[in-house]
Amino acid sequence: MNNKEKRRHPYRYLSRRIFTRYIMSLLLVCLTLFGGFFLAWFMCTRYVWQETDQLYRLLKGLESMSPLFIAVVFSVSFLILTWRAVRKPFTYFSELMEAAKGLSHPTAEPIELPEELLEVQNELNLARERALRSISVAKEAEQRKNDLVVYLAHDLKTPLASVIGYLNLLRDERELSAELEEKYLSISLEKAERLEELINEFFEIARFNLSNIPLQYGTISLNRLLEQLVFEFKPMLQEKGLDCSIRMEEEIKLSCDADKMQRVFDNLLRNAVFYSFENTTVHIVARRENDRVRIQFINHGQTIPEEKLNRIFEQFYRLDASRGTNRGGAGLGLAIAKEIIELHKGSITAESEKEQIRFEVSLPDRME
């Protein structure tokens, strides 16, 4: 059995090894017995012995008793070897049971097994490491979510207090000028909109944790979807002096859930706007490659460090994690986008270098 088969079937390899060792031990006993009998017979017939010679008497005694001697020794050896061969798997089983306890206590020492169980030992330690990583990731995600909920709850008070304060001013101050009244109303509206955003983020967290996103497929025009998206983002783009260009060489039809895919592109463009330098251009490039469609969102902004780029698709992870920031959302946009893309049998990647940030979505142009 080669090394690849050993890794794929470690238990089959181990049972075969035990059985082979058992058969080889029996053969060795047989060869030893019959070899001894043949040696005794050869020594008695090869040389001229005196009847008083002690060695001759011993050899003749062994020769005459050989059938009984061979049967007894073979039977005893057979029983001993069989008992050891049967006992060995139970010993391994006991050791595996002890090792399995380490999986339920991942903080215990790494699992150590006999050399024969090296492959099993490696698999168990790998499972233990995966369990440790899963526990660590789950704790980090839970802690990030808890911190975020605390921050959002704290941030809810600020716009709410502002709205209440300015509305009280409008109610109590009878001599306000039209200009000041309009200013207070404008601020109240701005704070109320911010309050709505924060409340929506709370709903987003609950929806992300409780929903298994269903897909409803249809055929859409990717060109029109992206053009409509850019049109809706014009106020946000103008606020930062940004331009947005769409480059597509042909009309591209895409089989997808239109609402969910629009949500993906909305999150990607929103991120591009948030993290772009002012007075730059956001580029959207779409092309067909064989049976896949690739869509890139490229913007110019501060280079994202590698350690943050590796975690950018984690739920509740935000590039700007400072408390009370108005930039970014609950850290769910990219995580949800990734889940939607993967449900469409696609992939999403992020790259950042030389003050350029690029997200690329790869999708099959049609679903089977």
Side-chain angles (χ1 to χ4, degrees), residues 84 89 101 116 156 180 182 197 200 233 251 308:
R84 289 187 60 187
K101 294 179 181 178
E116 294 87 348
L156 283 172
L180 199 56
E182 184 179 353
E197 289 178 6
N200 286 337
F233 268 77
E251 178 77 13
K308 291 188 175 183

Side-chain angles (χ1 to χ4, degrees), residues 194-210:
R194 177 56 183 162
L195 185 61
E196 183 185 28
E197 289 178 6
L198 292 170
I199 293 172
N200 286 337
E201 288 184 1
F202 273 115
F203 283 117
E204 194 79 350
I205 291 172
R207 193 157 51 239
F208 186 89
N209 286 335
L210 299 176

Side-chain angles (χ1 to χ4, degrees), residues 121-348:
Q121 172 186 302
N122 294 338
E123 290 292 332
L124 290 175
N125 279 321
L126 183 60
R128 176 179 171 277
E129 291 174 7
R130 287 173 179 167
L132 284 172
R133 284 197 298 269
S134 297
I135 292 172
S136 176
V137 168
K139 285 183 178 178
E140 289 179 6
E142 185 66 22
Q143 185 60 47
R144 286 199 304 272
K145 185 183 73 172
N146 292 339
D147 291 343
L148 190 65
V149 170
V150 171
Y151 292 163
L152 288 174
H154 178 273
D155 291 346
L156 283 172
K157 297 178 182 179
T158 303
L160 183 60
S162 296
V163 169
I164 294 173
Y166 282 109
L167 289 177
N168 283 331
L169 283 173
L170 289 170
R171 184 192 63 185
D172 298 337
E173 295 292 336
R174 301 298 182 184
E175 303 298 327
L176 285 176
S177 65
E179 181 181 350
L180 199 56
E181 184 176 332
E182 184 179 353
K183 180 181 178 181
Y184 287 173
L185 284 172
S186 177
I187 295 174
S188 297
L189 178 60
E190 180 184 342
K191 297 300 182 181
E193 289 173 345
R194 177 56 183 162
L195 185 61
E196 183 185 28
E197 289 178 6
L198 292 170
I199 293 172
N200 286 337
E201 288 184 1
F202 273 115
F203 283 117
E204 194 79 350
I205 291 172
R207 193 157 51 239
F208 186 89
N209 286 335
L210 299 176
S211 67
N212 182 12
I213 302 175
L215 298 180
Q216 296 179 348
Y217 285 98
T219 301
I220 65 167
S221 169
L222 182 60
N223 307 59
R224 273 185 280 182
L225 178 62
L226 294 175
E227 288 169 359
Q228 177 67 26
L229 181 68
V230 173
F231 178 79
E232 293 173 359
F233 268 77
K234 273 189 176 180
M236 290 182 63
L237 293 165
Q238 290 173 355
E239 187 178 343
K240 292 188 68 172
L242 300 175
D243 290 326
C244 186
S245 71
I246 301 176
R247 189 168 73 248
M248 302 178 68
E249 297 178 354
E250 59 177 323
E251 178 77 13
I252 297 178
K253 299 292 184 180
L254 192 63
S255 176
C256 65
D257 184 316
D259 291 337
K260 300 298 188 299
M261 198 55 61
Q262 182 178 7
R263 184 176 185 180
V264 170
F265 298 148
D266 183 284
N267 282 328
L268 292 177
L269 187 53
R270 191 176 301 274
N271 264 330
V273 173
F274 279 146
Y275 298 106
S276 282
F277 294 139
E278 292 185 358
N279 304 313
T280 58
T281 301
V282 177
H283 300 277
I284 303 176
V285 182
R287 65 185 184 279
R288 189 189 302 275
E289 289 185 1
N290 299 325
D291 58 347
R292 299 191 75 80
V293 175
R294 300 188 184 278
I295 307 102
Q296 292 182 336
F297 287 76
I298 306 168
N299 68 287
H300 300 278
Q302 186 174 354
T303 302
I304 302 174
E306 187 69 23
E307 63 273 13
K308 291 188 175 183
L309 200 63
N310 292 334
R311 301 182 60 188
I312 202 168
F313 294 108
E314 293 180 13
Q315 56 175 301
F316 308 115
Y317 183 78
R318 297 193 295 180
L319 288 176
D320 186 354
S322 59
R323 183 178 177 187
T325 181
N326 287 332
R327 297 184 69 190
L332 287 172
L334 291 177
I336 294 175
K338 183 173 185 289
E339 183 171 348
I340 292 172
I341 292 296
E342 290 179 347
L343 286 173
H344 281 83
K345 312 301 181 186
S347 62
I348 181 171

Side-chain angles (χ1 to χ4, degrees), residues 70-88:
I70 290 174
V72 171
V73 173
F74 180 79
S75 298
V76 173
S77 301
F78 175 79
L79 291 174
I80 293 174
L81 292 174
T82 302
W83 176 75
R84 289 187 60 187
V86 172
R87 178 175 171 270
K88 199 69 173 177

